[in-house]
Amino acid sequence: GAVVSQHPSWVICKSGTSVKIECRSLDFQATTMFWYRQFPKQSLMLMATSNEGSKATYEQGVEKDKFLINHASLTLSTLTVTSAHPEDSSFYICSARDPSFRRAQPQHFGDGTRLSIL
Amino acid sequence: AQSVAQPEDQVNVAEGNPLTVKCTYSVSGNPYLFWYVQYPNRGLQFLLKYITGDNLVKGSYGFEAEFNKSQTSFHLKKPSALVSDSALYFCAVFYSGGGADGLTFGKGTHLIIQP
């Protein structure tokens, strides 16, 4: 079964709305989580790395005030897209770092969130 | 710095034929290499990994990959392609250092299996 749960899987909302996406590690503690953005048929673009109890590290070109990341516990990180606009429409994927390499993997991925802003 | 290259944006293969999806890497030290598959509107699914040991690694769904240190390659292969193998494939290298670690991905290769 899944080791990382990401919700919601699909969001459609009006321009100007703020949208929160949750990423939970289900059976391990994730001190580090990653947030990616993916445009259609393209690769994953790392947006930010979040560490439990500290500020997220954003990649160059990613607006901190637009994409708020909170990693308040060892099993939950959230990405809030503030005042979303149509250009924010995309597929967002979270991933949790697993130091124990469960299932032979250093990171486990959520199923992604399709965000559509009208 | 580590990097991964997938030179082909798209690979087309007839069903039943062997397939190869290419990947080359650049990393200091010993590489930890991975292949993932992504179906539409889904997250990434782990296929296989190479950390150490045999150069030929077997993974899920009949896929395998060959680690070639001299050519710094880790090509994904399958002897007989299925239409259901059509998806987006990512090669990745795990990095560790400088207080951070994680996966670096290639740009992805669309694999299209034609009936």
Side-chain angles (χ1 to χ4, degrees), chain A residues 7-14 17-22 81 84 88-92 112-118:
Chain A
H7 291 283
S9 56
W10 203 293
V11 180
I12 301 174
C13 58
K14 295 180 179 180
T17 305
S18 291
V19 178
K20 180 184 284 188
I21 303 170
E22 292 188 349
V81 184
D88 299 323
S89 298
S90 195
F91 193 58
Y92 294 88
T113 297
R114 171 69 60 192
L115 177 62
S116 297
I117 307 299
L118 304 177

Side-chain angles (χ1 to χ4, degrees), chain A residues 10 32 34 36 38 41-44 46 91 93 97 101 103-107 109-112 114, chain B residues 32 34 36 38 41-46 49 51 88 90 94-95 101-103 105-108 110:
Chain A
W10 203 293
T32 301
F34 305 93
Y36 300 88
Q38 186 179 31
K41 298 188 177 182
Q42 294 189 25
S43 188
L44 303 174
L46 180 63
F91 193 58
I93 301 175
R97 174 80 177 90
F101 270 61
R103 306 182 189 182
Q105 301 171 58
Q107 291 177 221
F109 293 85
D111 259 352
R114 171 69 60 192
Chain B
Y32 288 12
F34 299 81
Y36 289 86
Q38 185 184 31
N41 292 311
R42 299 297 301 275
L44 272 63
Q45 294 182 30
F46 170 77
K49 76 178 193 309
I51 294 179
L88 181 58
F90 290 101
F94 177 74
Y95 65 89
D101 58 25
L103 290 167
F105 291 93
K107 65 179 181 178
H110 289 273

Side-chain angles (χ1 to χ4, degrees), chain A:
Chain A
V3 294
V4 171
S5 174
Q6 183 174 345
H7 291 283
S9 56
W10 203 293
V11 180
I12 301 174
C13 58
K14 295 180 179 180
S15 183
T17 305
S18 291
V19 178
K20 180 184 284 188
I21 303 170
E22 292 188 349
C23 182
R24 295 180 183 272
S25 57
L26 298 180
D27 60 358
F28 67 100
Q29 294 182 332
T31 56
T32 301
M33 289 188 176
F34 305 93
W35 288 96
Y36 300 88
R37 182 173 182 175
Q38 186 179 31
F39 293 100
K41 298 188 177 182
Q42 294 189 25
S43 188
L44 303 174
M45 181 189 78
L46 180 63
M47 299 174 64
T49 301
S50 75
N51 294 291
E52 186 268 337
S54 64
K55 291 183 179 180
T57 302
Y58 289 82
E59 296 299 303
Q60 191 172 9
V62 177
E63 299 177 60
K64 300 178 183 180
D65 295 333
K66 161 68 77 175
F67 299 102
L68 298 179
I69 292 173
N70 184 287
H71 194 159
S73 78
L74 288 171
T75 58
L76 175 64
S77 176
T78 60
L79 168 67
T80 301
V81 184
T82 61
S83 187
H85 292 285
E87 58 266 28
D88 299 323
S89 298
S90 195
F91 193 58
Y92 294 88
I93 301 175
C94 74
S95 178
R97 174 80 177 90
D98 185 356
S100 298
F101 270 61
R102 285 170 183 77
R103 306 182 189 182
Q105 301 171 58
Q107 291 177 221
H108 303 283
F109 293 85
D111 259 352
T113 297
R114 171 69 60 192
L115 177 62
S116 297
I117 307 299
L118 304 177

Side-chain angles (χ1 to χ4, degrees), chain B residues 1-114:
Chain B
Q2 68 287 337
S3 65
V4 177
Q6 293 181 243
E8 304 152 317
D9 289 335
Q10 183 170 307
V11 171
N12 295 283
V13 177
E15 186 177 24
N17 283 0
L19 68 88
T20 298
V21 182
K22 295 180 180 178
C23 172
T24 58
Y25 65 90
S26 174
V27 63
S28 56
N30 294 321
Y32 288 12
L33 297 162
F34 299 81
W35 275 102
Y36 289 86
V37 61
Q38 185 184 31
Y39 296 100
N41 292 311
R42 299 297 301 275
L44 272 63
Q45 294 182 30
F46 170 77
L47 279 179
L48 50 79
K49 76 178 193 309
Y50 172 83
I51 294 179
T52 187
D54 289 341
N55 290 342
L56 184 63
V57 179
K58 294 188 183 297
S60 305
Y61 312 120
F63 283 93
E64 57 189 29
E66 185 168 12
F67 171 66
N68 188 316
K69 188 173 184 177
S70 63
Q71 297 184 5
T72 61
S73 67
F74 190 55
H75 300 331
L76 181 70
K77 299 181 180 184
K78 187 172 183 179
S80 179
L82 300 172
V83 173
S84 57
D85 293 329
S86 298
L88 181 58
Y89 290 79
F90 290 101
C91 183
V93 61
F94 177 74
Y95 65 89
S96 181
D101 58 25
L103 290 167
T104 295
F105 291 93
K107 65 179 181 178
T109 299
H110 289 273
L111 177 63
I112 298 175
I113 308 302
Q114 295 151 336

